[in-house]
Amino acid sequence: MKQTRFLGTENYVASDELMNAVNIAIALEKPLLIKGEPGTGKTMLAQAIGRALNKKLVIWNIKSTTKAQDGLYVYDVVQRLYDSQFGNEGVDNIQKYITLGKLGEAFCSKEQVVLLIDEVDKADLEFPNDLLWELDKMEFYIPETKETVQAETRPIVIITSNAEKELPDAFLRRCIFHYIEFPGQELMEEIIKVHFDNLENKLLQEVLDAFYWIRQIPQIQKKPSTSEIIDWIQALIIGGIDIDRIKEEIPFSGVLLKKNEDVDVLQTNIGRAR
């Protein structure tokens, strides 16, 4: 039976609040804006929605240099000029020099796709505003060919942000918003069990206790995330670390912490705890 509501997947554990936000955004046909600290599964959410609903995923990775136009289409005027100079055929066919961007690709899909606009806040401040019409009306105009590209089936749009910049109010009004809270210990245990089938319970509990103790140290600048605890467990298993040493020594702390200052803070707190 075809799934029409997002209920998470075997590999993606979602809270009830997150699943509700996804399904409301789909029902209202509005973009879902997802915020949350790094490592909370924002990007993976779009992948999970695609798998759960059996829909193709189109990913538009945003960079500091990305312009809204890049997502619509690119007109290769240089190649057309080159072809005209060498007398190549088809120069009058402008369509030949038009390449759709990720937004254009999603609009032109015969079937509904999941469109991920990843890390929208990396671009300049005008970027979100430049997409207002296209996200609202699900269409854009190509003046070179005098053609309007309109979505045949409205894509499911997921937009992620790391809150590096404030997004414009006009953009926010058009989105459903959800902040992914960092998983509590109970939910984190579920997430870990997805990645490790037969993890010893004592090891799991020691890892969780140590991990959340580190996260609550106020001086830690970049707190370890979900991806780091998964990697850390793998490192502990590969290293054959004695379970009783985990909280006492925090072996392989460089897997969890990525700043020299944070490693120093951790060592200081380990010393105090002893």
Side-chain angles (χ1 to χ4, degrees):
M1 185 175 181
K2 190 174 180 181
Q3 188 173 324
T4 57
R5 287 175 56 80
F6 177 64
L7 302 172
T9 69
E10 288 183 1
N11 298 316
Y12 190 92
V13 179
S15 66
D16 290 341
E17 293 81 6
L18 178 55
M19 288 188 286
N20 287 338
V22 171
N23 291 316
I24 288 169
I26 293 173
L28 296 180
E29 297 187 331
K30 288 180 174 290
L32 175 61
L33 174 62
I34 296 289
K35 287 188 179 183
E37 65 177 88
T40 48
K42 299 186 296 296
T43 299
M44 290 178 64
L45 172 63
Q47 298 168 349
I49 294 170
R51 284 195 300 270
L53 304 183
N54 194 29
K55 296 183 185 299
K56 178 185 175 183
L57 175 64
V58 177
I59 302 176
W60 186 10
N61 290 306
I62 307 304
K63 301 177 182 178
S64 59
T65 56
T66 302
K67 303 297 180 186
Q69 177 68 36
D70 301 335
L72 306 179
Y73 72 96
V74 175
Y75 172 40
D76 195 345
V77 66
V78 175
Q79 183 63 49
R80 190 182 181 210
L81 179 62
Y82 177 87
D83 289 348
S84 66
Q85 288 176 338
F86 287 90
N88 293 342
E89 294 183 3
V91 174
D92 292 336
N93 181 13
I94 298 179
Q95 186 68 51
K96 175 182 171 182
Y97 302 96
I98 299 290
T99 303
L100 291 176
K102 295 298 184 180
L103 204 61
E105 181 184 334
F107 284 8
C108 290
S109 175
K110 299 292 184 184
E111 297 182 353
Q112 187 180 46
V113 302
V114 177
L115 171 64
L116 170 62
I117 304 177
D118 202 22
E119 299 190 321
V120 69
D121 51 333
K122 277 190 173 180
D124 64 40
L125 292 173
E126 289 305 311
F127 177 82
N129 280 335
D130 290 343
L131 286 177
L132 291 180
W133 173 269
E134 287 77 13
L135 291 177
D136 236 4
K137 304 299 181 182
M138 286 290 159
E139 66 178 40
F140 62 91
Y141 182 66
I142 303 178
E144 289 83 0
T145 60
K146 298 180 174 56
E147 172 191 11
T148 297
V149 176
Q150 190 167 31
E152 296 190 30
T153 305
R154 193 178 187 96
I156 298 169
V157 181
I158 307 297
I159 304 171
T160 70
S161 168
N162 286 325
E164 293 180 5
K165 299 189 188 86
E166 282 298 321
L167 298 173
D169 288 345
F171 180 79
L172 295 175
R173 280 197 298 271
R174 287 163 170 81
C175 298
I176 302 297
F177 173 75
H178 182 79
Y179 184 88
I180 299 183
E181 297 286 349
F182 194 83
Q185 198 155 324
E186 187 175 329
L187 182 57
M188 183 63 79
E189 187 171 331
E190 286 185 51
I191 294 170
I192 290 171
K193 286 179 177 177
V194 166
H195 294 271
F196 298 93
D197 291 333
N198 300 305
L199 194 64
E200 187 179 342
N201 190 59
K202 184 180 179 185
L203 172 59
L204 174 59
Q205 294 309 314
E206 292 290 315
V207 163
L208 286 170
D209 289 347
F211 178 77
Y212 282 95
W213 173 71
I214 293 170
R215 280 187 56 87
Q216 60 81 37
I217 297 173
Q219 296 85 0
I220 296 290
Q221 297 175 40
K222 185 183 183 305
K223 298 183 185 301
S225 67
T226 306
S227 59
E228 271 108 28
I229 192 173
I230 300 300
D231 290 342
W232 190 42
I233 292 172
Q234 192 68 49
L236 293 171
I237 293 171
I238 293 171
I241 299 299
D242 182 353
I243 293 175
D244 294 327
R245 288 177 50 204
I246 293 175
K247 281 194 292 187
E248 182 181 341
E249 300 178 11
I250 314 293
F252 309 124
S253 60
V255 177
L256 292 170
L257 303 174
K258 306 303 168 69
K259 289 177 175 284
N260 290 339
E261 300 87 344
D262 289 345
V263 173
D264 292 340
V265 166
L266 175 61
Q267 294 305 318
T268 299
N269 278 267
I270 290 173
R272 289 173 182 167
R274 287 173 180 164

